[in-house]
Amino acid sequence: MTELYRVYGRPLLSFVLRLTGGDRHWAEDVVQETMIRAWRSAHRLDENAASLLPWLATVARRIVIDDQRRKSARPQEAGEGPLENLRAPDGMEDMLRSVVVSEALLALTPAHRQILDATFFRDRSVNEAARELGIPVGTVKSRVYYALRALRVALEERGVTP
């Protein structure tokens, strides 16, 4: 094995460096794995062959291909940046948004809160809300329009902009 590495180590490393795009660490790992496979397959190698480099190059190329496939099958690595800079949803923004909207709704008149509850929050049509509240459809449309305007103003007063 020592003789095999001495004779074929450098030419194999040069070949593998081209396969790995110049990544020396990866190339050295591939050469090492190639030599291990040659040692395990020593009984199958032809001692009378003019050169074992073609066999070693084929094994190395297959190792590189396998490594590339393995890397492409794994999810992208996060990198070396600090993890504390990554945002993780914790529900705090949703909770704060709901608090601000609730406060803005309390600033509306009872009629405006009632019409928004009957239409938007309960997901009813204008006709269904009119029947439920016992008011004309036109009044429902008008109240929804003015309630939304009032809600927008109340939210802007609290620093929320569309």
Side-chain angles (χ1 to χ4, degrees), residues 90-110:
D90 61 357
M92 185 60 76
E93 288 183 25
D94 292 336
M95 185 188 72
L96 290 174
R97 188 179 304 114
S98 67
V99 168
V100 170
V101 170
S102 297
E103 288 179 359
L105 284 169
L106 290 174
L108 300 180
T109 65

Side-chain angles (χ1 to χ4, degrees), residues 2-162:
T2 305
E3 183 65 19
L4 184 71
Y5 190 81
R6 187 187 63 72
V7 172
Y8 297 111
R10 281 186 189 265
L12 186 60
L13 181 61
S14 296
F15 173 73
V16 174
L17 274 169
R18 287 192 302 273
L19 293 177
T20 61
D23 187 337
R24 186 166 187 86
H25 295 290
W26 183 16
E28 288 173 353
D29 288 345
V30 170
V31 169
Q32 183 178 13
E33 179 64 26
T34 303
M35 291 299 175
I36 289 171
R37 290 185 187 184
W39 177 64
R40 288 181 183 157
S41 301
H43 64 282
R44 293 188 306 184
L45 297 178
D46 183 10
E47 294 176 8
N48 300 326
S51 174
L52 292 177
L53 191 58
W55 184 87
L56 293 170
T58 301
V59 171
R61 186 175 60 79
R62 289 179 181 164
I63 292 170
V64 169
I65 290 170
D66 288 345
D67 285 351
Q68 289 170 336
R69 287 179 181 160
R70 190 173 14 261
K71 287 178 183 177
S72 67
R74 288 183 15 193
Q76 189 74 16
E77 294 181 7
E80 299 194 17
L83 292 177
E84 63 264 10
N85 293 339
L86 296 176
R87 291 183 49 135
D90 61 357
M92 185 60 76
E93 288 183 25
D94 292 336
M95 185 188 72
L96 290 174
R97 188 179 304 114
S98 67
V99 168
V100 170
V101 170
S102 297
E103 288 179 359
L105 284 169
L106 290 174
L108 300 180
T109 65
H112 285 162
R113 276 196 308 271
Q114 181 186 39
I115 203 68
L116 289 178
D117 180 59
T119 55
F120 285 100
F121 299 122
R122 294 181 187 220
D123 197 28
R124 293 196 176 114
S125 68
V126 174
N127 291 334
E128 292 171 337
R131 267 195 309 277
E132 178 187 317
L133 297 174
I135 57 177
V137 173
T139 304
V140 172
K141 290 179 181 179
S142 173
R143 284 188 188 168
V144 167
Y145 174 78
Y146 287 108
L148 288 175
R149 284 183 57 189
L151 182 60
R152 178 174 287 143
V153 169
L155 288 171
E156 287 174 355
E157 289 173 354
R158 286 159 179 77
V160 178
T161 57

